[in-house]
């Protein structure tokens, strides 16, 4: 019987003046872990260190990058005597990272280990937090299964994109929190709201109880003064919870950028490179694709984009406004986002 125990306490709750692992100790750890014979051993060493040390977000990012680096020549599990193991993932041959499920599982394990052992923990959350910027959509789903959907949301870092299935109790609770935040905080907070893929400004009745069915999407935004006040309050509660270099975008200028990045991630979940994606969509081999061909092609290939995302994608890739997209334009979008 295996059980996951995820502490909701933060290091500052246990010891108010606690310090993160020193840079010397961290460097020594990275040197020592270079001798590990498998990804399993690498993560095991990190878990052992977490029993006596706490981290900063940059340490977690370095661990995720280390796993990608080691996966090219280390097996997932220790080798069986007499049977050499194979690398956990193949080295990229087209400039794209081919991360396997086994590698993703170890990356998620690092996040689970670090979840309650990171001083600047609020850097995990939000549109530019580690969960969104460093994990793939598939890895976020795996992490959600491990620590719970609600634990991947934090009201202090509510600036984010949301796709909430309101028939789900946990997602409905987050929707209710968003409504409460939008009422309490000044400025335009919820933008690009849709309900079942239709434009849908949040009705005032939802402040008391949101709908119990349907799919709601929106981007949640904040004014700079609100961000400053929340960060100060968070650091007063837990010293160092918000690091000085954390990205927290103000107002709604970031929404287009975030939407483009999200669209790219959805395509990257299915395809390893711009070339493979474009070729799969361009069935007739004509070298260009129009709006209808792109929408239908992506859908048939298992890439589901919402109507507003399809509109954003085509407007972003059709750089010359000619109505057709060639590979150069498509690749430019892929590399940019």
């Amino acid at each position: 019987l295996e059980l996951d125990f995820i502490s909701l306490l933060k290091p500052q709750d246990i010891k108010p003046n606690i310090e993160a692992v020193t840079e010397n100790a961290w460097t020594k750890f990275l040197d020592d872990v270079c001798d590990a014979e498998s990804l399993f051993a690498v993560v095991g060493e990190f878990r052992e260190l977490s029993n006596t040390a706490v981290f900063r977000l940059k340490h977690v990012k370095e661990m995720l990058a280390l796993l990608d680096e080691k996966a090219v020549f280390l097996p997932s599990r220790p080798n069986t005597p007499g049977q050499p193991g194979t690398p956990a993932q193949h080295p990229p041959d087209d400039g794209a990272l081919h991360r396997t499920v086994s590698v993703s599982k170890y990356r998620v394990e690092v996040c689970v280990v670090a979840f309650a052992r990171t001083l600047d923990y609020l850097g995990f959350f939000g549109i530019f937090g580690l969960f969104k910027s460093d994990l793939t959509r598939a890895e976020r789903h795996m992490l959600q299964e491990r620590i719970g959907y609600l634990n991947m949301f934090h009201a202090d870092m509510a600036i984010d994109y949301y796709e909430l299935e309101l028939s789900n109790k946990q997602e409905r609770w987050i929707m209710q929190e968003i409504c409460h935040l939008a009422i309490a905080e000044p400025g335009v907070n919820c933008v690009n709201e849709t309900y079942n893929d239709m434009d849908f400004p949040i009705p005032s009745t939802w402040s008391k109880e949101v709908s119990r069915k349907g799919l709601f999407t929106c981007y949640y935004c904040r004014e700079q003064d609100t961000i400053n006040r929340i960060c100060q309050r968070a650091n007063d509660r837990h010293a160092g919870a918000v690091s000085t270099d954390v990205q927290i975008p103000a107002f709604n200028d970031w929404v287009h950028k975030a939407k483009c990045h999200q669209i790219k991630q959805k395509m990257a979940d299915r395809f390893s490179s711009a070339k493979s994606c474009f070729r799969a969509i361009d069935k007739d081999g004509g070298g260009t694709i129009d709006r209808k061909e792109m929408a239908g092609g992506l859908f048939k290939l298992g890439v589901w984009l919402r109507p507003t995302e399809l509109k954003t994608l085509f407007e972003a890739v059709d750089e010359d406004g000619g109505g057709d997209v060639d590979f150069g334009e498509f690749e430019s979008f892929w590399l940019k986002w």
Side-chain angles (χ1 to χ4, degrees):
L1 178 64
E2 294 185 4
L3 297 175
D4 268 337
F5 291 96
I6 306 300
S7 174
L8 299 183
L9 292 176
K10 302 307 175 187
Q12 297 93 324
D13 291 321
I14 300 170
K15 185 179 178 182
N17 298 319
I18 194 168
E19 296 286 341
V21 59
T22 66
E23 287 308 303
N24 286 341
W26 180 250
T27 300
K28 184 179 184 304
F29 166 77
L30 293 179
D31 289 341
D32 292 343
V33 85
C34 284
D35 297 328
E37 297 182 351
S38 66
L39 299 186
F40 179 83
V42 172
V43 175
E45 293 288 339
F46 182 67
R47 181 181 288 280
E48 184 174 342
L49 179 62
S50 74
N51 291 331
T52 56
V54 296
F55 312 103
R56 293 199 179 279
L57 203 68
K58 74 182 195 71
H59 299 140
V60 185
K61 288 176 175 282
E62 288 174 11
M63 274 300 299
L64 296 177
L66 179 67
L67 284 173
D68 279 336
E69 177 187 331
K70 295 292 186 183
V72 176
F73 55 88
L74 286 183
S76 293
R77 306 283 295 192
N79 297 336
T80 301
Q83 295 182 356
T86 57
Q89 67 189 21
H90 300 294
D93 56 6
D94 58 2
L97 177 65
H98 301 268
R99 187 180 296 141
T100 64
V101 173
S102 63
V103 177
S104 287
K105 286 182 178 179
Y106 288 118
R107 284 167 50 85
V108 169
E109 188 66 29
V110 165
C111 293
V112 172
V113 171
F115 184 72
R117 302 292 292 170
T118 302
L119 290 180
D120 48 345
Y121 64 90
L122 286 178
F124 283 125
F125 308 97
I127 191 65
F128 295 136
L130 181 144
F131 291 159
K132 282 285 177 74
S133 64
D134 290 69
L135 301 183
T136 66
R137 285 161 46 85
E139 287 170 342
R140 288 199 296 273
H141 180 74
M142 292 164 64
L143 182 61
Q144 176 185 321
E145 294 294 317
R146 295 291 303 281
I147 69 175
Y149 194 92
L150 292 182
N151 288 326
M152 294 182 68
F153 168 83
H154 200 293
D156 286 350
M157 294 288 154
I159 297 173
D160 207 342
Y161 170 70
Y162 297 91
E163 284 187 9
L164 300 170
E165 177 50 64
L166 301 182
S167 62
N168 180 287
K169 185 177 181 180
Q170 294 188 29
E171 297 183 45
R172 190 165 64 247
W173 183 89
I174 292 175
M175 181 71 247
Q176 196 72 72
E177 282 295 293
I178 290 172
C179 289
H180 292 161
L181 290 172
I183 292 171
E185 296 176 356
V188 177
N189 306 110
C190 294
V191 300
N192 289 9
E193 309 115 293
T194 71
Y195 182 64
N196 293 332
D197 292 325
M198 302 290 290
D199 290 342
F200 186 80
I202 299 176
S204 59
T205 54
W206 281 23
S207 63
K208 295 182 179 180
E209 185 177 11
V210 303
S211 174
R212 290 178 171 270
K213 61 181 180 179
L215 180 71
F216 180 85
T217 72
C218 79
Y219 292 83
Y220 191 82
C221 307
R222 279 176 171 148
E223 295 184 347
Q224 188 63 60
D225 287 345
T226 303
I227 294 172
N228 294 342
R229 185 175 65 254
I230 289 173
C231 289
Q232 183 61 56
R233 184 182 65 200
N235 282 329
D236 288 344
R237 182 174 66 246
H238 289 147
V242 184
S243 67
T244 56
D245 59 351
V246 68
Q247 291 188 64
I248 309 176
F251 304 103
N252 60 10
D253 295 340
W254 57 273
V255 169
H256 177 74
K257 176 182 177 182
K259 185 180 289 187
C260 288
H261 177 69
Q262 176 180 286
I263 292 168
K264 155 68 183 303
Q265 271 206 328
K266 286 187 176 183
M267 293 190 292
D269 284 347
R270 179 67 177 80
F271 299 97
S272 62
S273 67
K275 182 180 292 186
S276 60
C277 185
F278 188 87
R279 284 178 174 175
I281 298 172
D282 185 24
K283 290 293 187 183
D284 61 7
T288 61
I289 50 180
D290 59 23
R291 187 184 297 261
K292 183 178 180 181
E293 193 176 6
M294 181 178 290
L298 288 172
F299 180 77
K300 290 177 181 178
L301 294 166
V303 181
W304 168 241
L305 298 181
R306 318 211 77 78
T308 58
E309 291 175 325
L310 282 168
K311 182 174 183 292
T312 297
L313 172 61
F314 202 84
E315 289 175 351
V317 296
D318 187 18
E319 295 174 347
D320 59 9
D324 292 313
V325 174
D326 60 29
F327 175 68
E329 291 175 312
F330 190 82
E331 185 181 41
S332 176
F333 173 87
W334 189 282
L335 295 175
K336 181 176 181 180
W337 303 109

